Amino acid sequence: MAHFGVLGPLAVEGAPGHWVALRGERQRTLLAVLLLNADQHVHVDVLVEALWPERPPKSYASNLHTYLSRLRDRIDGLRVEHGPAGYRLRVEADELDLLVFRAAVAEGRRAADPVAASRHYRRALAQWRGPVLAGLHVPRLDADVARLESERLAVFEDCVDAELTAGRHGELTGELQAMITEHPLRERLAAQLMTALHRAGRQGDSLEVYRRLRATLVEELGVEPGAEVRRVHAAVLRGEDPVPRMPPPTWPVCQLPPDIGDFTGRDAELAELTGVLADGRGVPVAVLSGEPGAGKSTLAVRAAHRLRARFPDGQLYVPLGGRDIGEVLADLLRALGVPGPAVPDDVRARAAVFRGRLADRRVLVVLDDAVDPEHVRTLLPGTPGGAVLVTSRRRLSGLAGAHRLPLGPLSDDEAAELLNRLAGARVARERADAGRIIAACARLPLALRIAGSRLAIRPHLRLGELADRLEDEVRRLDELTVSDLAVRSSIALSYEGLRPPARRAFRLLGRCRLADLPAWAVTTLVDAPDADEAVEELVEASLLEARGPDRTGEGRYRMHDLVRLYAAEGPPSAEGGASTVVAATLALADAAAARLPRTVPMPAPAHEPFAQPLPDCLVERLLARPDEWFAAERANLVRLIGSLGAREALLLLDKLSVYLYLHGHYADMRAAYETLLAATADRGTAAIAEASLALLRHARGQYEEAASAYRQCAKELEAHGDRRTHAWVSANLAHCLIGLGRAEEALQTAAHARELFTVDGQEEALLVRAAESAALLRLGRVADARSVDRMALASARAGGDPRQIGTALHGFAWSSLLTGDHEEAVAAIAESVSLLRGTVARSALARSLRTLGAIAAATGSRARATAAFEEARDLARELDERPRELSCTRAIAAAWIGEGRAAQAIPVLRACLDEFREMGGKPATGLTWLVLQKACEATGDEEAAAEAAAEAAKLADPRDASAAALRGALLALTEGS
């Protein structure tokens, strides 16, 4: 391929040393235009104007093709493409002197030291053989030619700057004098010549250059010399070197702070950071953000030390912290060997020198506590090989292309390990109190480090005592201070950077004690036109965490516990919309509960409808799936109960209990009712709370405690005249007594409950009939029980509620089995399970599945029985309904005996036996002894079998038809297939 020259007379070199002569003026003009725009499309109009400046001929298109053909004939391998955008001449970077010139200039500007830069600049200038396209005048190219001449002059000046910095002034004087003669108004050239003459000991000649320049400028332009020339003039007058010589930087350079010895955890984050920064492609940038005290700087230093081998030229550590970026750059340049006087005044110039010093170097830059994305951009290396690790309290969302790693609290194990490293082995000995400290510190490394340091300083300070202090929210931030470390001051730095609207929003959100908030609640609470902007600022500052949408599709926000405490300390700001949020939440809970089946066996308190301040469209979207709304707000609702008045708390808790009881979330329900009980002085409210707590003990199989609590609540409710709640409590007590084996008392209690329902004008609960039927079966009155179940089923079918029908079918199926109507029993229980599967009443489904198992076992369907018992057991386990889980486990163990796995069944049955005894359930305990007897017999342990038989006989009640039926079903399972 030919080589071309435009930096001087137009030249075309074919074979080395063989120059191609182009005879026609228009051929040379066409080639010149294409070369000055090498590798770019040149429109036909531009070519025509260049070839025919006055008026193109009518045949210009064919003439143009002719000239191109002649060029191709004269120049071997000439690559000219034609397309819709025009003509393009394709050349490689080394085939055109203009491209070689520009590539060398770019290398000079990237060079790490002035000597190397000068070498590249000189190579670039050597491409010039004279004026651009000398001897060829093309008016269309006049502007391009002038631009290239200016470019050459600027590169010459850059080269002189580099050589003056490197101390090479002796050989420059002649060149500069020639150039200043050619360009007498060029101030930069004059300043450079003055510097070279001054260094050569020719101070007078240097000052004369300034005098002539000033006279020319004043005479021809009427202006004084610029600031840079005046600075050089003043330096020469003082006898100082205007451009101090720049020593080459010393590599490698390491500014990293020491890595801490007790660094703990963060293995996944370290792996992610080192993987991103050691990628080797381009200039990777990783942003480590997070709330105050999360340990961002510590993690960054640890990662940087791990990466030192990957960045052998050095590691720069730049504490930003809101510092002026110009000062930061000046410090960096001095650290990289730039003398103070040589540091440019302009920030952009400093950034350019900084990039030049890092060019082609493998350097890791750690920017700690960055605030402004623009500052980070200013400090990015310009060439591949380096990497940047940024820590910031802000997310720096404006920093495009960065890999972001939000840093949250430590895991529980990591927090415990850190505390152990700081405070010693007593952390492991006092594990419970250590856990309280970790929880109070919210697993934040800074808070844990302060707590651990306090324990280390005071070896006799008990962990329990420190935990007590930290659990006091009023003084927690005061306690989290040691030496120069303080959680409060760390958070304050982030707070002080907020604008007033965001500060107000921060204070309002801090006084809200909820765990996290949906987006609608945040904007309602802030209650300001600029609420969205304020919230976004808090998120950007890592003072508020934005989480993904919850199950209702609503975005959520969370404020860290320690941040919330700081926010709550401030002076009260405007009220905001706190009351609106509470009112909306109560109304949402009421509406959501109304859309779910009420399975909790307690009456709903009467109340006026809640007014809903939210738009109907939002309410409908939030409550489209009421289960999902309760799941999303469950923790918030439990917390909110503690901050409401007794009446509102009871109403909210009742609505929440509809969801909690339905899904077996008994722990939350218990905690909420205990909170209500502790906060209320009203005995009526307290009695309802106690009754609900008794119900939860009942569900867990704590029959004796539950029965005692039910009786006490019944007395309180009777004294207050609350017959409605009294009726439900009595029905629950009847069921509890059945579990204890007290059938006569259960029947009497159920009758009393029926009477209370009737007297109070309430609709009789299905719960009462179920208790009556169960008691009648225990007393052997099977026909009476079936009659009660038949009426209950008819009533349920009339109501049309699938859950109620499924529940009534369950009772009817069992009494049908006991009367010998096996076909009716099988059909009824199958329909019950089918109906309940279509509802969310999982507890009722578990009960019907257990009964399906018993009926299937009694009627010879062994495989179906085992499958039903296993499904019922799994459901009961999820719902934490221990008695039902145990009875299903017992049935499965009975099936193992029939499968020849009696030895495996024995320890399971003994564990069931222990729990049934503790619950006080006599019928359940007796049946378990019976199955254990069969297991012992199967393994040949006659003594244990005899003991089990004797214990079963003691607990047997000959009247108990239910126990007899269950006994038959379980024994059928113990028999081999």
Side-chain angles (χ1 to χ4, degrees):
M1 178 60 189
H3 288 74
F4 303 93
V6 294
L7 303 179
L10 179 65
V12 181
E13 184 182 19
H18 176 69
W19 298 93
V20 178
L22 300 175
R23 296 183 182 87
E25 184 77 10
R26 289 198 171 94
Q27 285 186 44
R28 298 171 63 213
T29 297
L30 177 59
L31 181 60
V33 174
L34 292 173
L35 286 172
L36 284 187
N37 296 277
D39 288 324
Q40 300 178 38
H41 284 95
V42 182
H43 198 273
V44 172
D45 292 346
V46 174
L47 295 174
V48 171
E49 182 184 349
L51 291 169
W52 298 283
E54 300 298 331
R55 176 182 296 179
K58 294 181 179 179
S59 59
Y60 71 84
S62 60
N63 290 353
L64 182 58
H65 285 298
T66 299
Y67 298 145
L68 284 170
S69 297
R70 290 175 182 173
L71 283 175
R72 290 190 179 100
D73 292 341
R74 296 290 297 163
I75 304 171
D76 289 339
L78 185 70
R79 301 189 298 272
V80 179
E81 301 172 351
H82 183 214
Y87 292 88
R88 178 171 63 171
L89 175 60
R90 298 292 301 275
V91 293
E92 300 297 330
D94 61 347
E95 294 174 347
L96 176 62
D97 57 3
L98 175 58
L99 298 182
V100 174
F101 165 74
R102 285 175 172 165
V105 170
E107 290 183 23
R109 287 172 179 159
R110 289 196 300 266
D113 62 79
V115 175
S118 169
R119 186 168 57 250
H120 292 302
Y121 289 140
R122 286 294 176 185
R123 181 163 61 87
L125 293 168
Q127 301 299 313
W128 289 73
R129 296 170 287 108
V132 176
L133 297 174
L136 180 65
H137 181 240
V138 183
R140 183 66 177 76
L141 297 179
D142 285 348
D144 294 321
V145 170
R147 175 174 50 79
L148 285 173
E149 292 292 349
S150 296
E151 195 173 332
R152 174 192 184 186
L153 182 56
V155 171
F156 174 76
E157 291 171 337
D158 288 345
C159 180
V160 171
D161 276 346
E163 293 181 345
L164 286 173
T165 301
R168 297 176 176 178
H169 54 274
E171 59 267 38
L172 288 175
T173 305
E175 270 190 292
L176 285 167
Q177 284 175 329
M179 292 295 287
I180 199 70
T181 301
E182 187 177 349
H183 304 281
L185 299 179
R186 193 81 174 184
E187 295 188 30
R188 187 178 178 192
L189 284 174
Q192 291 172 333
L193 177 58
M194 291 169 64
T195 301
L197 290 169
H198 177 65
R199 286 187 181 173
R202 299 166 60 184
Q203 186 180 24
D205 291 341
S206 176
L207 295 172
E208 177 61 20
V209 171
Y210 178 80
R211 187 194 65 75
R212 287 198 306 267
L213 171 69
R214 182 178 181 277
T216 303
L217 287 171
V218 171
E219 181 180 342
E220 295 192 14
L221 302 178
V223 297
E224 291 287 340
E228 179 60 17
V229 181
R230 294 200 307 272
R231 184 190 68 78
V232 173
H233 179 246
V236 172
L237 286 172
R238 294 193 302 269
E240 297 175 355
D241 190 344
V243 182
R245 300 166 204 184
M246 186 180 299
T250 302
W251 301 102
V253 57
C254 181
Q255 296 180 325
L256 294 178
D259 192 10
I260 61 173
D262 54 14
F263 184 92
T264 303
R266 302 297 195 194
D267 293 336
E269 292 88 347
L270 272 171
E272 184 174 342
L273 283 177
T274 53
V276 169
L277 296 171
D279 182 72
R281 292 177 293 181
V283 181
V285 178
V287 177
L288 189 60
S289 63
E291 57 203 337
K296 300 179 290 294
S297 299
T298 305
L299 176 58
V301 171
R302 167 57 62 98
H305 276 285
R306 281 198 176 183
L307 287 165
R308 285 191 64 191
R310 297 298 299 266
F311 298 95
D313 289 327
Q315 304 82 40
L316 299 176
Y317 183 81
V318 187
L320 291 173
R323 295 171 59 203
D324 177 76
I325 192 64
E327 294 179 5
V328 170
L329 279 165
D331 288 348
L332 282 170
L333 293 180
R334 284 189 285 269
L336 294 175
V338 180
V343 174
D345 293 330
D346 182 68
V347 171
R348 293 182 182 178
R350 291 180 183 181
V353 175
F354 173 68
R355 286 192 296 272
R357 286 264 150 163
L358 297 189
D360 300 321
R361 294 285 182 181
R362 295 172 64 188
V363 174
L364 174 64
V365 181
V366 181
L367 305 177
D368 189 31
D369 199 15
V371 175
D372 189 341
E374 183 58 34
H375 290 176
V376 176
R377 294 189 200 102
T378 302
L379 296 172
L380 296 181
T383 56
V388 180
L389 173 55
V390 185
T391 74
S392 179
R393 295 160 184 262
R394 298 177 175 272
R395 291 175 50 84
L396 300 184
S397 302
L399 195 60
H403 178 89
R404 287 181 171 76
L405 177 59
L407 195 63
L410 296 172
S411 68
D412 287 330
D413 290 342
E414 290 171 339
E417 183 183 351
L418 177 58
L419 195 61
N420 185 69
R421 287 190 177 192
L422 294 165
R426 57 185 172 142
V427 171
R429 293 195 304 268
E430 303 175 49
R431 187 170 302 170
D433 290 328
R436 293 168 58 204
I437 292 173
I438 290 169
C441 292
R443 295 179 282 116
L444 272 187
L446 175 60
L448 287 166
R449 187 166 294 282
I450 292 170
S453 299
R454 292 190 62 188
L455 291 169
I457 293 169
R458 301 176 60 189
H460 302 296
L461 176 63
R462 293 182 301 103
L463 269 70
E465 183 179 349
L466 180 58
D468 290 341
R469 296 178 183 178
L470 292 175
E471 285 178 340
D472 181 355
E473 290 194 352
V474 174
R475 59 187 294 189
R476 185 180 302 172
L477 292 180
D478 293 326
E479 294 291 336
L480 289 175
T481 302
V482 63
S483 185
D484 61 342
L485 297 178
V487 170
R488 180 183 280 108
S489 60
S490 177
I491 301 171
L493 285 174
S494 295
Y495 174 74
E496 288 163 4
L498 299 175
R499 293 177 299 172
R503 290 189 179 191
R504 175 182 175 274
F506 180 68
R507 295 300 187 190
L508 286 168
L509 291 168
R511 276 188 282 278
C512 181
R513 299 177 57 84
L514 302 185
D516 67 349
L517 286 168
W520 71 261
V522 170
T523 52
T524 303
L525 184 65
V526 176
D527 191 26
D530 55 359
D532 288 340
E533 291 81 357
V535 170
E536 287 176 7
E537 186 175 348
L538 292 178
V539 172
E540 183 69 19
S542 298
L543 292 172
L544 188 67
E545 179 185 357
R547 297 187 165 190
D550 59 25
R551 298 181 182 183
T552 70
E554 188 77 355
R556 300 194 76 84
Y557 294 90
R558 174 186 175 274
M559 185 174 278
H560 193 280
D561 283 350
L562 296 178
V563 174
R564 178 180 57 78
L565 289 178
Y566 177 86
E569 284 184 340
S573 57
E575 175 63 25
S579 59
T580 306
V581 171
V582 172
T585 302
L586 288 171
L588 285 169
D590 190 24
R595 300 185 186 198
L596 292 176
R598 187 179 181 88
T599 58
V600 56
M602 287 288 288
H607 65 89
E608 293 295 323
F610 290 106
Q612 176 55 269
L614 299 181
D616 292 343
C617 58
L618 174 60
V619 171
E620 189 54 39
R621 178 171 67 78
L622 293 174
L623 301 185
R625 295 183 299 277
D627 259 338
E628 303 289 11
W629 183 82
F630 270 122
E633 299 297 344
R634 175 174 145 196
N636 276 342
L637 296 174
V638 171
R639 281 197 177 194
L640 185 59
I641 286 162
S643 62
L644 297 175
R647 178 62 179 169
E648 283 187 329
L650 179 62
L651 291 175
L652 177 58
L653 183 46
D654 175 74
K655 307 309 174 186
L656 176 59
S657 295
V658 171
Y659 167 79
L660 295 177
Y661 194 83
L662 181 64
H663 292 280
H665 299 311
Y666 298 146
D668 278 355
M669 196 169 166
R670 181 181 302 109
Y673 272 110
E674 286 174 348
T675 298
L676 175 62
L677 190 61
T680 185
D682 179 69
R683 288 309 306 161
T685 301
I688 294 173
E690 291 281 14
S692 298
L693 290 170
L695 178 65
L696 298 176
R697 296 189 191 99
H698 185 173
R700 285 285 300 154
Q702 298 165 345
Y703 295 132
E704 288 288 2
E705 293 179 36
S708 175
Y710 280 140
R711 288 192 180 95
Q712 183 59 40
C713 291
K715 291 179 182 177
E716 290 282 352
L717 293 165
E718 185 176 17
H720 279 81
D722 186 354
R723 287 193 297 270
R724 187 162 176 261
T725 309
H726 187 184
W728 282 89
V729 169
S730 296
N732 290 331
L733 174 58
H735 280 277
C736 189
L737 292 169
I738 291 164
L740 287 167
R742 303 174 192 170
E744 292 93 342
E745 188 179 354
L747 189 59
Q748 293 171 5
T749 305
H752 179 54
R754 180 193 294 275
E755 180 183 347
L756 286 169
F757 274 107
T758 304
V759 171
D760 199 43
Q762 304 178 61
E763 183 180 345
E764 183 181 329
L766 184 62
L767 185 71
V768 176
R769 287 177 175 166
E772 287 179 337
S773 173
L776 289 168
L777 290 174
R778 296 288 185 190
L779 295 171
R781 296 166 58 182
V782 177
D784 291 342
R786 194 179 189 203
S787 176
V788 170
D789 289 331
R790 192 185 299 279
M791 287 189 294
L793 179 57
S795 176
R797 288 196 188 279
D801 182 351
R803 184 182 61 84
Q804 296 281 10
I805 297 170
T807 301
L809 279 166
H810 164 267
F812 181 69
W814 187 242
S815 59
S816 295
L817 177 73
L818 270 60
T819 58
D821 193 344
H822 291 187
E823 185 176 342
E824 187 80 65
V826 170
I829 198 61
E831 184 183 0
S832 173
V833 169
S834 177
L835 283 171
L836 292 171
R837 283 195 192 281
T839 72
V840 293
R842 296 193 299 158
S843 179
L845 175 60
R847 184 171 62 249
S848 286
L849 281 167
R850 182 183 62 175
T851 299
L852 171 61
I855 292 174
T859 55
S861 300
R862 181 188 186 84
R864 189 181 184 197
T866 304
F869 279 126
E870 288 176 346
E871 186 179 358
R873 177 201 59 193
D874 294 344
L875 267 176
R877 182 177 294 157
E878 290 176 17
L879 297 169
D880 198 25
E881 294 180 344
R882 190 61 179 159
R884 187 167 296 136
E885 181 186 350
L886 288 172
S887 63
C888 292
T889 301
R890 177 183 62 200
I892 294 166
W896 289 350
I897 298 169
E899 295 166 3
R901 298 158 60 192
Q904 185 179 347
I906 287 174
V908 173
L909 290 168
R910 290 198 179 278
C912 291
L913 189 63
D914 290 341
E915 289 201 55
F916 278 133
R917 279 169 161 173
E918 186 178 347
M919 291 176 185
K922 292 181 181 178
T925 305
L927 287 170
T928 309
W929 276 117
L930 179 66
V931 180
L932 181 60
Q933 174 194 341
K934 288 295 183 180
C936 292
E937 288 174 353
T939 57
D941 190 344
E942 295 182 1
E943 183 178 348
E947 178 193 3
E951 292 294 335
K954 288 180 188 176
L955 296 170
D957 183 346
R959 300 173 301 170
D960 193 339
S962 278
L966 273 175
R967 183 165 54 246
L970 292 170
L971 290 177
L973 290 173
T974 64
E975 299 297 329
S977 301

